[in-house]
């Protein structure tokens, strides 16, 4: 057996350990800041309706494509006058529909989904 004690090494940091720990702490702070920023922008109401722009950002789809698909009745949505809105359930259904579409239809004018 090796009598090497890893805890003893932790008590006496070497030259490589200190920069790595500093880098790790910096990355953790950056991640925490990103999570806080994301939480600030998240809708507080889970029943809130999303605009085509908001949903497009989430799904990485063009808002124009979402509006066109909604107008054609191909994806679930809510319509208030000329404004299209999408619930969380609508978004989940849109993702489900996109998964069901065969890849061969994705070429050309198949499913109509276009990346933003």
């Amino acid at each position: 057996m090796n009598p090497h004690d890893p805890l003893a090494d932790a008590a006496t940091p070497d030259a490589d350990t200190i920069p790595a720990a500093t880098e790790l702490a910096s990355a953790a702070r950056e991640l925490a800041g990103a999570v806080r920023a994301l939480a600030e922008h998240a809708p507080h109401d889970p029943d809130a309706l999303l605009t085509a722009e908001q949903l497009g950002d989430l799904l990485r789809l063009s808002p124009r494509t979402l509006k066109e698909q909604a107008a054609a009745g191909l994806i679930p949505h809510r319509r208030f006058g000329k404004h299209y809105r999408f619930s969380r359930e609508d978004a989940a259904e849109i993702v489900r529909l996109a998964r069901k579409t065969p890849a061969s239809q994705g070429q050309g004018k198949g499913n109509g989904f276009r990346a933003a």
Side-chain angles (χ1 to χ4, degrees):
M1 298 263 276
N2 186 354
H4 182 73
D5 182 6
L7 293 178
D9 287 345
T12 56
D14 61 11
D16 293 334
T17 306
I18 294 172
T22 302
E23 186 177 333
L24 180 60
S26 175
R29 279 191 298 275
E30 185 179 340
L31 179 60
V35 168
R36 275 193 297 278
L38 183 61
E40 289 173 7
H41 296 298
H44 298 285
D45 180 4
D47 296 326
L49 297 176
L50 303 170
T51 65
E53 290 73 18
Q54 291 169 323
L55 184 59
D57 286 345
L58 288 172
L59 299 180
R60 294 184 176 243
L61 291 171
S62 163
R64 180 177 171 184
T65 297
L66 290 169
K67 290 175 187 177
E68 289 172 353
Q69 295 292 310
L74 299 174
I75 59 173
H77 65 282
R78 312 290 187 278
R79 188 161 179 185
F80 300 96
K82 64 180 183 174
H83 302 283
Y84 293 95
R85 297 294 184 263
F86 303 88
S87 69
R88 304 273 179 210
E89 292 81 22
D90 293 339
E93 180 65 11
I94 291 167
V95 170
R96 191 186 69 73
L97 289 170
R99 282 188 190 144
K100 280 180 57 174
T101 305
S104 62
Q105 285 185 350
Q107 300 170 358
K109 291 190 173 190
N111 65 7
F113 289 107
R114 203 170 42 223

